């Protein structure tokens, strides 16, 4: 069974640019969530989608957005990149809380 | 709001000795609790989960955790540490709807040979 796949693995962007990250969940999982990991703030929740609907959103500015497609694949977009957006972005998928959440390997974003 | 506190930022043990990583939680409802491990430059791997069934939860690689409601604790243990256990460990609580995970700050486990 394939795991959660995130692409790309590494990205280098310039301040002011925008970026799109992709996540393919485990087959059959309809919930996809995104987290930002930084040394200073740790792991913080960005948003969660289920059946193409955003059910929950973390405390991030509107520059951070996401969406989910009918095949459960998800993308997140960050516009007008800032240096502080440099982080490891992790995607997780779930078939239900009782089953836990499976994480991908992440996308390492560096903003210069 | 739910939260978790990991009581040690770093733990150092010798190979073959027991491991104890401490976690206290705060929740207004019966929580779902998890332990995840992250090896350097890797994603997060689920070690074990508690979802209101048995209070003693067994996970992968010989890890266990015990849910103690009276102490609001969910400590992670392993009888004998292995070098490959060196990593960062996160205690995590889920929100009531199961749509959001709240992470502790992490405990870095060092295993000495």
């Amino acid at each position: 069974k394939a795991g959660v796949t995130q692409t790309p693995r590494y990205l280098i962007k310039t301040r002011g640019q925008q970026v799109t990250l992709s996540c393919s969940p485990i087959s059959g999982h309809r919930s996809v969530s995104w987290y930002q990991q930084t040394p200073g703030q740790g792991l913080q929740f960005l948003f969660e989608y289920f059946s193409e609907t955003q059910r929950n959103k973390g405390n991030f500015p509107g520059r951070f957005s996401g969406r989910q497609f009918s095949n459960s694949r998800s993308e997140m977009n960050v516009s007008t990149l800032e240096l502080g957006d440099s982080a490891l972005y992790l995607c997780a998928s779930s078939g239900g809380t009782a089953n836990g959440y499976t994480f991908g390997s992440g996308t390492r974003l560096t903003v210069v | 709001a739910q939260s978790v506190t990991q009581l040690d930022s770093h733990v150092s043990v010798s190979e073959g000795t027991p491991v104890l990583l401490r976690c206290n939680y705060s929740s207004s409802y019966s929580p779902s609790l998890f332990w995840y491990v992250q090896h350097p430059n890797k994603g997060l791997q689920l070690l074990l989960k508690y979802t209101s069934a048995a209070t003693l939860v067994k996970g992968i690689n010989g890890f266990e955790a015990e849910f103690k409601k009276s102490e609001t604790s969910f400590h992670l243990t392993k009888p004998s540490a292995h070098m490959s256990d060196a990593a960062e460990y996160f205690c995590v609580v889920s929100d009531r709807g199961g749509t959001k995970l709240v992470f502790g700050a992490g405990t870095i486990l060092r295993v000495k040979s």
Side-chain angles (χ1 to χ4, degrees), chain A residues 9 33 35 37 43 45 48 55-56 88 90 97-106 108, chain B residues 32 34 36 38 41-44 46 49 51 88 90 94-95 97-103:
Chain A
R9 289 295 311 276
S33 49
Y35 293 81
Q37 185 175 26
L43 280 144
F45 171 75
E48 188 264 0
R55 295 195 298 184
N56 203 346
L88 180 65
L90 291 163
T97 305
N99 299 320
Y101 298 78
T102 302
F103 281 81
S105 297
R108 173 78 61 185
Chain B
S32 291
F34 310 84
Y36 281 86
Q38 186 175 36
N41 299 314
K42 300 285 187 183
L44 295 157
L46 178 64
K49 57 185 184 285
T51 54
E88 189 164 17
F90 293 94
S94 172
D95 73 339
T99 62
K100 172 183 173 181
L101 298 179
V102 177
F103 285 79

